Amino acid sequence: QVTLVESGGGSVQAGGSLRLTCVASGNSYPMYCIGWSRQSAGKEREVIAAIEPDETTVYADSVKGRFTISQDLAKNTYYLQMNDLKPEDTATYYCAGNVVADVCELDTGRDIWGQGTLVTVSS
């Protein structure tokens, strides 16, 4: 009943920036424990950032200091600002969340997933 749609991916040179957007639509607002994850060929999916409605955030060490997760709850929209991009950041990026509140960690299971948006970082 809730749909998440990511956008903002593309191709960028190393050291550049991109801002990903995730828009939630449908019922069952708000979403809880919204996380941004990424996956590339040959690697496991990695949850890199998460945010709660109270603005609590958590980041994976691989992106801490470079990426920032944020939200605009009035617009049902979630963002991932990615700075100082590196070739190893190349992946398909997904947003996901839950419709009920519970413990929220990076590895928390999430029920609702978007379709993903591709980010390619060239050297």
Side-chain angles (χ1 to χ4, degrees):
Q1 295 176 326
V2 177
T3 300
L4 301 176
V5 178
E6 304 97 332
S7 62
S11 181
V12 65
Q13 294 180 344
S17 299
L18 286 173
R19 189 194 202 194
L20 306 184
T21 298
C22 174
V23 179
S25 61
N27 54 19
S28 300
Y29 298 144
M31 298 291 291
Y32 297 95
C33 203
I34 288 286
W36 284 96
S37 305
R38 64 186 182 184
Q39 188 168 32
S40 59
K43 292 186 177 181
E44 296 181 352
R45 178 173 289 173
E46 177 190 24
V47 183
I48 56 175
I51 189 168
E52 283 286 271
D54 67 0
E55 303 297 317
T56 300
T57 59
V58 61
Y59 297 92
D61 289 341
S62 58
V63 305
K64 187 174 294 184
R66 298 190 297 124
F67 292 8
T68 302
I69 188 171
S70 61
Q71 63 194 356
D72 185 341
L73 295 179
K75 297 180 178 179
N76 301 311
T77 300
Y78 308 86
Y79 305 96
L80 184 69
Q81 179 67 44
M82 305 187 295
N83 297 327
D84 191 25
L85 283 162
K86 306 178 184 299
E88 53 263 41
D89 295 318
T90 295
T92 299
Y93 285 73
Y94 302 86
C95 67
N98 293 320
V99 298
V100 297
D102 206 337
V103 175
C104 184
E105 304 288 347
L106 287 177
D107 59 357
T108 296
R110 293 173 173 86
D111 299 320
I112 309 298
W113 289 77
Q115 84 292 341
T117 185
L118 178 63
V119 172
T120 302
V121 184
S122 59
S123 60

